[in-house]
Amino acid sequence: MIREVAARPFGDQRPGTSGLRKKVRVFQQPHYLETFVQAIFNAEPALAGATLVLGGDGRYYNRPAIQTILRLAAANGVARVLLGQGGILSTPAASCLIRKHGAAGGIVLSASHNPGGPQADFGVKYNVANGGPAPESVTEAIFAAACRLDTYRTLDAPDIDLERTGEQRVGEMAVQVVDPVADYAALLEQLFDFDRIGELLRGRFRMRFDAMHAVNGPYAVEILERRLGAPDGTVVRGDSREDFGGAHPDPNLVHARVLVDELAQADGPDFGAATDGDGDRNMSLGRRFFVTPSDSLAVLAANAQRLPGYRDGLAGVARSMPTSAALDRVAEALDLPCYETPTGWKYFGSLLDAGRITLCGEESFGTGSNHVREKDGLWAVLAWLNLLAVTDQSVAELVRAHWARFGRTFYTRHDYEGIDADLAGELFDALRGRLPTLVGHRAGRLEIEQAEEFAYTDPVNGARSERQGIVLRLAGGGRIVYRLSGTGTEGATVRVYVEDHEPDPTRHGADPQTALADLLGLAVALPDLHRHTGRSGPTLVT
């Protein structure tokens, strides 16, 4: 029986650019999850009578949330749900299923790289029919619907068996429980030379993949160890856990420290990689060699035609604004269109759909292509393995050859996490007010040539996005960027990005913090960062 139940007013709890992310305890409030999901159905009437993809990263509250959403979907007339077995679907795999099966959309349960567990984070994100994150027009419609909702529709029905593959029913709605890996792995096999990668992994080459007790454990074991023949144990922390083993599932130099230390050894593996909570972010390492996400994107773009799925060349490339301009130099040399977008994968969607770009990426460890409409951690790892297999070079040799050809862009990001939101807002308001006076500002050898707040007009659909970060461009090509991040659930994160290009990479040492010391000093001093944040330094450096 379908019931109408009083909804929970949403107030000012606006979803962020990556969907709705809150503490588990917030989602466990009576009617909270139901109100938001009903708002999705109200804002997207095309879901009625259509197929919906559903799954998540396996974090705490994933299973009960899925049962709740199935009952709402049935009550709102969804004809069919494709559900990952055990409630599991990585974010790129969800995008793959939406596109392959012609679904009208998908609901992905994840808080990405944020911690999991009863006291930690949960999230709900809606992906549209192209497989990508909902654009701002849709997220605004969902928020508006949540604010004016009086009731939600649900069905009195028992829970389904999340482990049993095949068809089950919730009322009149069919629920197809599917292998979460199969379609996604088949897609990757079309893009990469699995024979060459398999030869590499079965030989003397050694790699380590850290799944961080997150969603990509089953995917990595199936693809790397079973299909490609990597030795058992290549994948570590491969069992998915609701609390990610009590760790922070963010693949960076801090939270993947065990992997980083292993690769730092003289006799360590040849290649290391890690992916995040929902499987869309990645970090790649060589022995004693860290590849920045910006360099990773640039190297993959420069060598894309070595990969079977991209041998015909690239239509164009794109990067988020805070990502270093290393990609731009590849695009210029290869005569490729290059686009600069705001942070958020949804901004790449229209460019991908229009065929204007083939590869894209963000500095926050996200890289992908037109095969899906999400960043894709395992895709990036396999792209690196394919390049290593066909070039017979190490990671360090491949990147240094890239620098020799295109020059090196020294780059770093400093995060100030958990800042009081009002203090963070005051910092940006003060900096925003000073922009006209900063042009011509000098500090030693450094001079600011341009100071602006980044705004973006989508070249395909004309959509406008304002206040996407403050950018200071320096004489000689250096750049400082300040941005407020919306990926956390407590306080605000102030991100500071600093880069400088060196045509001759031999002129500086290997450490970006040393090479960028003057620029970092200026980046802290200009907004009086430590006073505004109440911190003596960043909480995370990458």
Side-chain angles (χ1 to χ4, degrees):
M1 182 179 71
I2 295 176
R3 292 188 295 120
E4 297 273 351
V5 182
R8 182 184 185 90
F10 238 58
D12 62 351
Q13 299 185 61
R14 177 180 296 273
T17 58
S18 300
L20 184 67
R21 290 183 187 170
K22 300 289 179 183
K23 292 296 181 184
V24 168
R25 62 178 178 271
V26 176
F27 277 98
Q28 289 175 322
Q29 296 175 98
H31 316 301
Y32 184 88
L33 172 65
E34 293 90 337
T35 298
F36 183 69
V37 174
Q38 182 66 57
I40 294 174
F41 291 124
N42 286 7
E44 291 284 276
L47 290 170
T51 297
L52 174 76
V53 168
L54 177 62
D57 60 15
R59 67 178 58 232
Y60 185 85
Y61 199 57
N62 193 70
R63 286 173 172 265
I66 283 173
Q67 303 287 1
T68 296
I69 293 168
L70 287 173
R71 287 189 276 269
L72 268 80
N76 281 275
V78 172
R80 178 173 176 246
V81 171
L82 290 176
L83 174 67
Q85 185 180 22
I88 293 295
L89 270 182
S90 74
T91 291
S95 181
C96 170
L97 282 179
I98 293 170
R99 294 172 63 79
K100 179 173 181 177
H101 296 277
I107 295 177
V108 182
L109 305 179
S110 173
S112 187
H113 54 293
N114 292 5
Q119 307 305 316
D121 299 340
F122 191 75
V124 180
K125 184 177 77 162
Y126 179 65
N127 281 30
V128 292
N130 75 343
E136 284 185 351
S137 59
V138 174
T139 56
E140 288 297 323
I142 293 171
F143 174 65
C147 288
R148 62 173 179 262
L149 207 60
D150 295 321
T151 61
Y152 63 84
R153 294 166 60 84
T154 188
L155 185 73
D156 289 329
D159 289 353
I160 70 160
D161 184 349
L162 299 181
E163 301 299 335
R164 177 164 61 88
T165 58
E167 184 171 302
Q168 303 174 57
R169 301 198 76 83
V170 177
E172 296 299 314
M173 183 180 74
V175 180
Q176 190 75 27
V177 179
V178 301
D179 180 337
V181 181
D183 284 340
Y184 171 75
L187 175 60
L188 294 184
E189 284 197 66
Q190 298 172 21
L191 302 174
F192 302 113
D193 188 339
F194 270 38
D195 289 338
R196 292 291 294 273
I197 298 173
E199 290 174 7
L200 180 75
L201 293 177
R202 291 189 297 270
R204 298 180 63 185
F205 182 91
R206 292 188 299 132
M207 79 165 288
R208 183 74 72 239
F209 183 94
D210 186 355
M212 306 192 84
H213 291 309
V215 76
N216 258 349
Y219 292 83
V221 169
E222 172 63 27
I223 294 170
L224 295 174
E225 295 187 1
R226 293 177 185 155
R227 299 197 182 199
L228 291 170
D232 291 347
T234 294
V235 178
V236 297
R237 294 202 286 177
D239 56 318
S240 301
R241 301 184 185 180
E242 288 189 334
D243 65 349
F244 306 120
H248 198 139
D250 192 356
N252 59 42
L253 296 173
V254 174
H255 298 306
R257 191 72 231 175
V258 173
L259 177 71
V260 172
D261 288 345
E262 188 175 3
L263 269 292
Q265 303 301 313
D267 59 349
D270 300 283
F271 179 67
T275 55
D276 74 330
D278 66 332
D280 59 358
R281 300 182 184 217
N282 79 96
M283 177 176 68
S284 296
L285 302 162
R287 184 185 297 135
R288 293 186 165 181
F289 197 91
F290 168 60
V291 184
T292 71
S294 295
D295 275 341
S296 180
L297 175 62
V299 169
L300 294 180
N303 293 278
Q305 287 184 279
R306 298 175 185 263
L307 309 174
Y310 309 92
R311 60 168 54 96
D312 293 334
L314 306 179
V317 293
R319 61 170 177 84
S320 64
M321 179 272 290
T323 305
S324 92
L327 180 67
D328 304 45
R329 294 178 175 90
V330 173
E332 182 179 7
L334 301 183
D335 195 25
L336 293 173
C338 183
Y339 299 87
E340 182 182 44
T341 74
T343 294
W345 208 260
K346 61 187 176 184
Y347 293 104
F348 296 134
S350 63
L351 297 169
L352 289 163
D353 287 347
R356 295 199 182 192
I357 63 172
T358 308
L359 296 188
C360 47
E362 297 183 330
E363 53 73 35
S364 53
F365 295 86
T367 322
S369 85
N370 59 352
H371 69 294
V372 292
R373 293 297 181 269
E374 291 278 7
K375 49 186 173 282
D376 189 345
L378 264 177
W379 174 92
V381 172
L382 289 172
W384 269 97
L385 286 171
N386 206 153
L387 288 183
L388 296 173
V390 299
T391 62
D392 197 29
Q393 291 180 297
S394 69
V395 172
E397 288 169 341
L398 198 55
V399 176
R400 287 179 178 134
H402 180 90
W403 290 341
R405 180 180 177 188
F406 299 102
R408 180 177 181 182
T409 301
F410 286 91
Y411 181 85
T412 188
R413 185 183 93 187
H414 287 205
D415 290 358
Y416 294 75
E417 299 171 308
I419 304 299
D420 179 86
D422 290 336
L423 291 177
E426 290 172 7
L427 183 155
F428 275 79
D429 286 342
L431 191 55
R432 192 174 289 121
R434 291 183 59 198
L435 288 180
T437 65
L438 289 178
V439 177
H441 178 91
R442 297 184 66 92
R445 66 175 183 86
L446 304 176
E447 180 181 359
I448 298 174
E449 273 191 341
Q450 185 179 359
E452 62 182 359
E453 191 156 20
F454 182 68
Y456 177 70
T457 301
D458 191 301
V460 177
N461 58 35
R464 181 76 174 170
S465 300
E466 305 279 354
R467 291 197 168 190
Q468 296 295 317
I470 290 173
V471 185
L472 308 181
R473 302 183 191 278
L474 285 86
R479 193 172 68 138
I480 299 170
V481 174
Y482 303 92
R483 194 176 71 84
L484 275 174
S485 172
T487 60
T489 58
E490 289 186 321
T493 297
V494 176
R495 301 199 197 279
V496 183
Y497 314 81
V498 174
E499 70 175 276
D500 200 9
H501 182 68
E502 176 52 67
D504 179 2
T506 65
R507 289 182 57 189
H508 287 307
D511 178 24
Q513 307 305 315
T514 301
L516 297 169
D518 291 348
L519 269 171
L520 284 168
L522 180 62
V524 170
L526 277 176
D528 199 358
L529 193 60
H530 292 166
R531 180 178 66 83
H532 274 288
T533 61
R535 304 286 174 82
S536 60
T539 51
L540 180 65
V541 174
T542 52

